DNA sequence: ATCGGCTCGCGCAA
DNA sequence: TGCGCGAAGCCGAT
């Protein structure tokens, strides 16, 4: 089922005579449960044309490094073979995606594109829509509830978004059927970038290689995501509600890198979890749907989602008032990046992120709060936290990452008791960690990891 | 161990 | 306009 609220016409013009219906894949990097892909197939069938999928790999994606490209290439290789099984050609090219889409648009009758929420993703789509001479249709597949239908404005907190999402769940929590392809495109010939071995493919890109991909324990791709999900539902979901905030336990689903690259659909995950009777179900769906889509709401409606300017007035005001408070510790970005602070818990969290590409969700909050505490100015702290997040997390540059950092500075939260540096922004300390879990056990676990 | 206060703005009831 | 309520925390009082 493709609800009409998922569909937005970016260029309203008559279809032209063409050789195919083009789906420019960008955010939803998967063959399975992809509304944009299924929509493109339907349109292609209607026009008696083959659907063709294009993906452009640019060397210049801001802040992306080998870690991100490696994970993405692994996923794309799988997308290519899954699409081939349905008779659909994936044209992979090594160039800026909006340029590549424009080239292939010349012989397209209709263009379909998936949806991204960040500034760059939006501008790519706007540019294509402005230049295309055929319809450009955007299909939103990486949320359970389409963002504007959930809420027409920037939401204040999870509490204000939650009822709005809940009301719509029945409508959107429904499976997407696969549409059989009537005319195949797999025989069509295009100059293309071939992935083959990931290391070899990586070596052909002109990218930042200072953050390595190979050491990361997460392999990309839909098959791997589904296997992790299955293991999560079978073995961890039942205790998710009481263990999810304990980083010494492997109690979470590890879906975020896969969700970030669109290698798995949040709808697919939600349906799988929802079909189970489990005490952990509600807590998981809260994080997967309400909190994740609250983050997307923030990025969609707040133009300053990636800076200090994006947090509410009361947060900026209270932080300003405490800007000159004495910092007990002050570290440079380099000292933080190298995990050289006085705090073993913080250093462990930083090390976990650098080595594995994924810091535990609970530690992400503590980590961000401490950067605010140990940096001269809150604006600077915000920039450092986001820089490190985007550089080392596989899911860096995700709405969830922007929102997570902003949360540490008060976004989507309420004020709490006044104190130095933080003002009325929620404070966290290491005593809290020790109270909630075996914090020293966490440090030991991380220290055992080889660099 | 458990509880209330901290502090602000949203959103509904009146 | 008033007021209940939030909900991934801290801290001091009991």
């Amino acid at each position: 089922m493709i609800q009409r609220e998922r569909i937005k016409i970016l260029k309203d013009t008559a279809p032209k005579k063409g050789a195919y219906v083009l789906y420019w894949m960008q955010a939803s990097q998967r063959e399975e449960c992809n509304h944009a892909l299924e929509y493109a197939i339907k349109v292609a069938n209607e026009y008696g044309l083959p659907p063709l999928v294009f993906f452009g790999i640019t060397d210049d994606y801001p802040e992306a490094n080998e870690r991100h490209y490696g994970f993405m290439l692994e996923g794309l290789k799988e997308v290519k073979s899954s699409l081939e099984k349905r008779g659909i050609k994936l044209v992979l090219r090594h160039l800026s995606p909006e340029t590549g889409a424009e080239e292939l648009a010349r012989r397209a009758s209709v263009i379909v594109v998936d949806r991204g929420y960040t500034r760059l993703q939006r501008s790519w789509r706007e540019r294509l829509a402005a230049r295309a001479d055929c319809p450009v249709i955007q299909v939103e597949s990486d949320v359970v509830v389409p963002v504007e239908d959930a809420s027409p404005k920037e939401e204040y907190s999870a509490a204000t978004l939650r009822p709005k999402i809940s009301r719509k769940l029945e409508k959107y929590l429904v499976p997407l059927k696969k549409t059989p392809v009537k005319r195949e495109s797999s025989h069509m010939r295009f100059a293309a970038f071939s992935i083959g071995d990931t290391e070899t493919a990586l070596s052909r890109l002109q990218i930042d290689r200072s953050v390595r991909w190979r050491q990361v324990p997460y392999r990309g791709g839909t098959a791997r995501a589904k296997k992790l999900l299955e293991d999560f539902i079978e073995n961890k979901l039942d205790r998710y509600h009481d263990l999810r905030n304990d980083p010494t336990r492997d109690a979470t689903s590890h879906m975020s890198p896969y969700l970030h690259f669109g290698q798995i659909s949040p709808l697919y995950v939600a349906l799988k979890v929802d079909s189970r009777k489990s005490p952990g179900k509600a807590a998981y769906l809260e994080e997967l749907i309400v909190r994740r889509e609250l983050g997307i709401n923030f990025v969609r409606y707040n133009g300053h989602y990636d800076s200090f300017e994006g947090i509410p007035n009361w947060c900026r005001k209270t932080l300003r008032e405490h800007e000159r408070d004495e910092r007990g510790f002050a570290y440079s970005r380099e000292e933080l990046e190298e995990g050289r602070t006085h705090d073993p818990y913080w250093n462990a969290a930083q090390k976990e992120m650098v080595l594995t590409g994924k810091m535990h969700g609970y530690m992400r909050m503590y980590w961000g709060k401490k950067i605010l505490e140990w940096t001269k100015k809150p604006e600077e702290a915000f920039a450092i936290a986001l820089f490190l997040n985007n550089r080392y997390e596989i899911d860096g540059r995700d709405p969830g990452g922007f929102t997570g950092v902003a949360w540490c500075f008060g976004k989507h939260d309420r004020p709490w008791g006044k104190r130095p540096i933080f003002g009325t922004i929620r404070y966290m300390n290491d005593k809290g960690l020790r109270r909630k879990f075996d914090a020293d056990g966490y440090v030991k676990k991380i220290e055992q990891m080889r660099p």
Side-chain angles (χ1 to χ4, degrees):
Chain A
M1 169 89 172
I2 305 174
Q3 300 84 355
R4 61 182 169 76
E5 289 83 354
R6 295 192 186 277
I7 299 167
K8 187 181 176 192
I9 298 171
L10 300 184
K11 176 85 166 204
D12 193 3
T13 183
K16 67 174 195 286
K17 259 198 179 338
Y20 43 73
V21 167
L22 179 70
Y23 164 32
W24 166 25
M25 178 184 283
Q26 195 270 316
S28 310
Q29 300 171 23
R30 61 181 177 276
E31 176 272 327
E32 194 168 338
C33 199
N34 180 337
H35 296 81
L37 172 66
E38 299 304 326
Y39 184 83
I41 295 171
K42 273 183 208 284
V43 174
N45 287 349
E46 256 172 57
Y47 286 99
L49 292 170
L52 181 75
V53 181
F54 160 72
F55 191 97
I57 302 166
T58 172
D59 288 337
D60 306 317
Y61 201 98
E63 298 184 273
N65 55 51
E66 190 193 272
R67 171 168 294 183
H68 308 108
Y69 281 100
F71 192 86
M72 183 175 82
L73 289 177
E74 280 187 323
L76 288 173
K77 201 167 138 180
E78 193 183 328
V79 172
K80 186 164 176 67
S81 64
S82 315
L83 286 173
E84 234 151 61
K85 284 182 195 138
R86 294 178 72 182
I88 303 169
K89 179 88 167 185
L90 169 63
V91 182
L92 271 170
R93 293 189 61 193
H94 181 196
L95 83 186
S96 191
E98 85 285 18
T99 308
E102 219 176 301
E103 278 183 40
L104 286 168
R106 291 194 202 117
R107 291 209 294 145
S109 279
V110 175
I111 304 166
V112 176
V113 61
D114 48 34
R115 184 169 190 191
Y117 305 92
T118 60
R119 215 168 282 123
L120 178 66
Q121 290 176 305
R122 286 192 300 230
S123 72
W124 276 346
R125 286 156 181 80
E126 279 163 21
R127 195 180 110 158
L128 178 68
R131 298 190 183 196
D133 58 354
C134 67
V136 178
I137 302 167
Q138 174 181 270
V139 184
E140 187 170 18
S141 189
D142 282 13
V143 284
V144 174
V145 180
V147 177
E148 284 88 0
D149 196 36
S151 169
K153 63 183 181 74
E154 181 179 2
E155 287 295 326
Y156 180 72
S157 69
T160 59
L161 181 63
R162 191 175 297 112
K164 298 178 184 180
I165 294 249
S166 302
R167 281 199 291 272
K168 307 264 180 180
L169 274 187
E170 206 186 337
K171 175 173 178 182
Y172 291 107
L173 213 48
V174 291
L176 173 67
K177 282 203 189 75
K178 289 198 185 193
T179 302
V181 174
K182 286 192 187 155
R183 283 193 59 190
E184 305 197 338
S185 57
S186 31
H187 59 282
M188 297 173 86
R189 313 283 283 181
F190 294 90
F193 181 83
S194 120
I195 296 181
D197 172 58
T198 313
E199 290 285 6
T200 313
L202 278 173
S203 71
R204 305 210 308 271
L205 305 178
Q206 312 285 313
I207 52 171
D208 173 7
R209 295 178 206 286
S210 59
V211 185
R212 302 299 290 180
W213 162 74
R214 193 51 99 173
Q215 69 183 183
V216 160
Y218 297 95
R219 300 276 69 86
T222 303
R224 184 69 193 130
K226 286 169 72 176
K227 217 170 162 57
L228 280 170
L229 178 63
E230 205 176 301
D231 174 56
F232 171 72
I233 292 172
E234 268 328 302
N235 305 312
K236 303 173 190 171
L237 181 60
D238 286 352
R239 295 210 59 191
Y240 183 75
H241 58 297
D242 62 322
L243 295 183
R244 75 193 147 148
N245 284 336
D246 184 342
T248 68
R249 306 282 203 121
D250 183 17
T252 61
S253 67
H254 303 297
M255 285 298 103
S256 68
Y258 302 92
L259 286 166
H260 170 68
F261 285 97
Q263 294 175 359
I264 197 158
S265 146
L267 175 62
Y268 176 92
V269 177
L271 286 169
K272 283 276 177 203
V273 170
D274 194 47
S275 70
R276 297 287 286 226
K277 192 173 147 47
S278 169
K281 182 163 101 176
Y284 187 76
L285 292 178
E286 163 77 12
E287 306 234 346
L288 175 71
I289 305 175
V290 177
R291 306 232 51 129
R292 179 169 179 275
E293 295 184 12
L294 176 64
I296 295 173
N297 170 281
F298 174 48
V299 169
R300 162 64 182 82
Y301 290 111
N302 192 316
H304 299 290
Y305 61 81
D306 53 354
S307 75
F308 183 75
E309 300 304 306
I311 63 176
N313 287 332
W314 71 266
C315 303
R316 290 208 303 273
K317 184 164 171 281
T318 194
L319 287 171
R320 287 251 179 283
E321 281 165 10
H322 292 269
E323 198 163 59
R324 303 176 69 145
D325 291 358
E326 175 104 21
R327 267 69 178 155
F329 303 90
Y331 298 109
S332 66
R333 192 177 89 180
E334 288 68 29
E335 287 169 311
L336 293 167
E337 187 162 11
E338 290 159 17
R340 290 192 284 115
T341 77
H342 64 286
D343 177 344
Y345 310 122
W346 194 93
N347 295 345
Q350 171 68 18
K351 187 174 174 184
E352 180 181 30
M353 176 173 75
V354 169
L355 291 186
T356 70
K358 195 166 163 296
M359 189 192 301
H360 190 278
Y362 188 80
M363 293 308 293
R364 288 193 195 197
M365 298 189 275
Y366 178 78
W367 175 87
K369 293 284 184 190
K370 291 297 144 184
I371 296 179
L372 170 58
E373 188 174 345
W374 301 333
T375 304
K376 282 185 204 119
K377 295 264 174 289
E379 290 93 326
E380 230 179 285
F382 196 107
I384 291 172
L386 203 51
F387 168 83
L388 294 174
N389 179 80
N390 291 355
R391 180 167 162 80
Y392 292 103
E393 299 279 10
I394 305 171
D395 65 8
R397 295 156 291 121
D398 190 85
F402 295 118
T403 310
V405 170
W407 181 87
C408 296
F409 292 71
K411 182 73 197 173
H412 295 150
D413 203 10
R414 50 180 279 210
W416 300 87
K418 227 184 212 120
R419 52 179 301 132
I421 304 172
F422 286 79
T424 58
I425 304 289
R426 181 196 296 259
Y427 178 72
M428 286 175 82
N429 67 9
D430 53 354
K431 262 198 300 201
L433 303 183
R434 287 193 295 269
R435 192 169 56 238
K436 289 186 183 60
F437 59 88
D438 176 12
D440 295 295
Y442 171 68
V443 173
K444 278 201 193 78
K445 178 178 118 174
I446 301 300
E447 274 174 358
Q448 280 164 11
M449 293 178 180
R450 56 173 191 80

